[in-house]
Amino acid sequence: MKLTRHITRASALLAIAILTQTAMAKDADDKTLPFDRYSWVTTHNAFTSNGLFPNQSQTIAEQLDAGVRAFMLDLHPDDGRVRLCHNRCRGSSSEPFADFVNATLLPFLERSPDSIVTLHLEDFTDRDELLAELELAPALVGKTFDPYSWSTEAWPAYDEIVRRGQRILIFSLNRDQSGVFMTPRGAVHIMPSEDFTVENYWSLGTTTLWHDYRCHSRWGETRPLWRNDIESKPGWRPLFTMNQFHGLPSESHAPNDNSLAALQDRYANYCQPAAGRKPNYVAVDFHELGGVHAFVDWLDTQPEGPRHVGAAAP
C-alpha cells in the first residue's frame, strides 16, 4: 500500500514537471485573461507580525512590497473602532481597519496602478460598526469590486478590472456583513465568501506534529471545492483559496509547509483532484520562507483545466 502511494505521488509530480516544461511558453505577464485564471500569494492573519504567536514576520506594507496581493484579516469591534486583531485587540499590529486602508492599502494602489488586491475578512462586527468604520475611509468608494456591475459571461479580464478602477476585491466569511454598504461618499461592495469562493479546510493540524493533507471544503458537502458556478452570477466560477498552514503558527516549520515541493505535492495529489482547478489564492504563514512565491509563479504558467462536472476529495 505504501509503495503504491509513493508510486502514485511520484507519477503526479512527474506530470507536474512535464506540464511545467510544456507551459512555459505561456506569457505569465499577460493580463488579458479572465480574473479567475490568475493566482496570488495570500497571507493568513496578515496583520499579526508580532505578539506571542505571529503568523507573519512582515507588516502588510512590507508584504505588499514583496509581492503579496491577498490578505486574510480578522475584524473585531474595540473601543468604538473596528480593528485588525486576533484574540487580543491591543499592540502595534492591532490597527483600525480604516487606518490600514488609508495609510497602507490606498497609497500602495496609487504607487502600483496595475495591481489588484484582495481582502478576505473574518468579521466579528455588526453592520453598524462596520459601516461606521468604512465611513472613515471615504477614498475606498469607487475602488471596490462590484460583481453586479459587470455583464460579462465570466469573470472580467484582469486588465478590464484595472481600467474600471475596481481594484480591491473584498470577501467576507460573515454573510450578514456582505453586500452594499452605503456611505455618505458612495457604495463599498463586499462579497460573501461562501458564494464567490471555494476554500479547503483551513488547517493542516493544530500543531506541526500533524499534517492532514486532505483537501476538503471548509463549508462541507453543500459547498464542494469543485462547484463551478456562482448562483447569482451564472457562468462565473468561484475563486479557489488553497490553505496551507497550521492552527498554531511556527516560523521554524514554515519553510517545510511553504516549500515548492510540498505545495506542488498538495496541489497535484489532493487539491487539484478535489477542486478540478488550480487555486487562485494560496494562503500561508510566513510567506517569505519557502517557495510559495515560486509556486504561484508556476501556477500562472499552467493551462486551466476543463470545468468539472464533479469531483471527490481524495
Side-chain angles (χ1 to χ4, degrees):
M1 180 69 71
K2 184 178 291 186
L3 178 60
T4 301
R5 186 166 62 248
H6 286 318
I7 291 172
T8 301
R9 181 165 297 180
S11 298
L13 291 176
L14 177 61
I16 283 177
I18 294 171
L19 276 173
T20 300
Q21 294 301 315
T22 58
M24 287 307 291
K26 181 181 175 182
D27 183 3
D29 294 324
D30 180 8
K31 299 303 183 185
T32 63
L33 300 176
F35 186 75
D36 65 340
R37 292 288 302 275
Y38 298 94
S39 301
W40 298 271
V41 174
T42 304
T43 46
H44 169 235
N45 285 342
F47 52 92
T48 55
S49 58
N50 55 42
L52 187 59
F53 296 107
N55 295 92
Q56 307 299 329
S57 60
Q58 298 177 341
T59 65
I60 296 179
E62 291 169 330
Q63 294 170 41
L64 282 164
D65 289 341
V68 178
R69 292 294 178 267
F71 304 90
M72 292 180 168
L73 307 173
D74 287 9
L75 302 185
H76 290 267
D78 180 77
D79 195 24
R81 295 294 301 273
V82 172
R83 290 182 173 272
L84 307 179
C85 49
H86 190 63
N87 296 327
R88 61 188 297 269
C89 291
R90 290 292 181 268
S92 59
S93 68
S94 181
E95 181 180 23
F97 180 68
D99 293 3
F100 153 69
V101 170
N102 294 330
T104 300
L105 180 58
L106 294 178
F108 170 78
L109 291 174
E110 186 71 22
R111 297 192 307 270
S112 183
D114 294 330
S115 292
I116 295 174
V117 172
T118 299
L119 306 180
H120 297 276
L121 305 181
E122 187 163 7
D123 188 352
F124 297 92
T125 70
D126 64 34
R127 199 167 184 89
D128 289 340
E129 290 167 335
L130 182 57
L131 177 59
E133 187 70 19
L134 294 173
E135 290 176 353
L136 299 177
L140 191 60
V141 170
K143 298 180 175 66
T144 55
F145 184 82
D146 174 13
Y148 301 106
S149 70
W150 297 85
S151 59
T152 53
E153 295 182 356
W155 285 90
Y158 184 104
D159 59 353
E160 292 175 344
I161 295 174
V162 169
R163 282 195 292 272
R164 192 176 290 192
Q166 297 184 5
R167 294 193 290 139
I168 304 172
L169 281 76
I170 308 180
F171 300 99
S172 178
L173 291 168
N174 184 345
R175 182 181 293 277
D176 293 338
Q177 298 291 71
S178 64
V180 180
F181 286 78
M182 188 58 65
T183 75
R185 291 284 297 272
V188 174
H189 302 275
I190 299 178
M191 295 169 278
S193 302
E194 196 171 347
D195 292 349
F196 282 83
T197 71
V198 293
E199 179 178 338
N200 65 300
Y201 180 69
W202 58 270
S203 177
L204 288 166
T206 302
T207 73
T208 58
L209 298 176
W210 178 257
H211 291 78
D212 183 355
Y213 292 116
R214 292 175 300 162
C215 214
H216 52 92
S217 174
R218 175 178 190 144
W219 294 294
E221 295 180 0
T222 61
R223 285 289 190 267
L225 294 183
W226 50 261
R227 187 165 57 93
N228 276 324
D229 288 299
I230 297 169
E231 294 168 1
S232 61
K233 293 292 291 183
W236 290 40
R237 185 163 60 175
L239 302 178
F240 174 26
T241 298
M242 176 177 140
N243 294 310
Q244 178 88 350
F245 49 83
H246 285 84
L248 290 175
S250 170
E251 188 169 5
S252 63
H253 189 75
N256 297 309
D257 288 340
N258 299 353
S259 72
L260 180 60
L263 289 163
Q264 287 184 327
D265 181 66
R266 183 89 185 280
Y267 168 69
N269 291 291
Y270 300 94
C271 290
Q272 202 285 335
R277 72 190 78 176
K278 60 185 182 181
N280 303 105
Y281 301 106
V282 182
V284 298
D285 290 332
F286 303 105
H287 76 94
E288 75 280 9
L289 302 177
V292 65
H293 289 268
F295 177 62
V296 164
D297 288 344
W298 173 80
L299 283 173
D300 274 336
T301 69
Q302 303 307 298
E304 189 63 53
R307 292 168 69 91
H308 284 211
V309 174

